[in-house]
Amino acid sequence: MLSYSFLLDQLPDPNELHRAVAEVFKVPPANVHVGKLYEDAGGPPATVSCTYIDLDGGEFLWRVDIGADDTVTGPTDVQTAAALARRFGVRALLDTPDSDEWWRLVTADEDRLVAVDLDELDGDRYVLTGKTRT
């Protein structure tokens, strides 16, 4: 079972996001569910589920959670974020297991480690400091 969570600076149109998730995970669109977390009834059982929630402030205003059942051998979280970044021109921020400060920034053109402001992070806001690491 796949389960990913990452942040986006902009939320694509949900209908376009639905099509993109189906393509990225190579499943029929009828087997994909996309909806707002906590406000969506979930619909019929889906092979891939993509939920999103708006966050309160910061540069990355949307958390996206994607889960897939055991029949899906989909891309990694970074590959998924990169595919969405290329398709929609968004920036994706993924946590790293090593540090609260250093996160992985994925855009249409790059993939690098960036620092987030820890004071902002304490308030659940994701703001980049401008520091990068290779």
Side-chain angles (χ1 to χ4, degrees):
M1 181 171 220
L2 301 175
S3 180
Y4 307 144
S5 185
F6 49 85
L7 307 172
L8 295 177
D9 62 346
Q10 300 172 51
L11 183 70
D13 174 81
N15 293 323
E16 292 296 318
L17 183 58
H18 183 268
R19 280 189 279 284
V21 169
E23 290 172 14
V24 168
F25 284 88
K26 296 178 176 43
V27 298
N31 294 359
V32 173
H33 170 76
V34 173
K36 191 167 186 181
L37 189 63
Y38 306 124
E39 293 182 11
D40 182 39
T47 304
V48 179
S49 175
C50 174
T51 57
Y52 53 88
I53 188 167
D54 53 331
L55 303 174
D56 188 26
E59 289 180 57
F60 294 83
L61 297 172
W62 298 94
R63 188 183 85 209
V64 175
D65 300 312
I66 299 176
D69 70 19
D70 293 334
T71 64
V72 177
T73 55
T76 66
D77 56 347
V78 174
Q79 291 168 328
T80 302
L84 296 178
R86 282 190 301 275
R87 183 167 184 149
F88 298 112
V90 298
R91 297 182 303 159
L93 195 62
L94 294 82
D95 66 345
T96 60
D98 303 332
S99 168
D100 287 340
E101 180 182 15
W102 292 96
W103 289 62
R104 190 170 188 167
L105 178 67
V106 177
T107 69
D109 302 320
E110 63 183 335
D111 177 354
R112 61 187 164 117
L113 290 177
V114 296
V116 296
D117 184 312
L118 293 176
D119 291 331
E120 293 287 338
L121 187 60
D122 284 341
D124 289 327
R125 291 176 303 278
Y126 300 86
V127 177
L128 303 182
T129 65
K131 294 190 293 185
T132 62
R133 201 167 77 177
T134 54

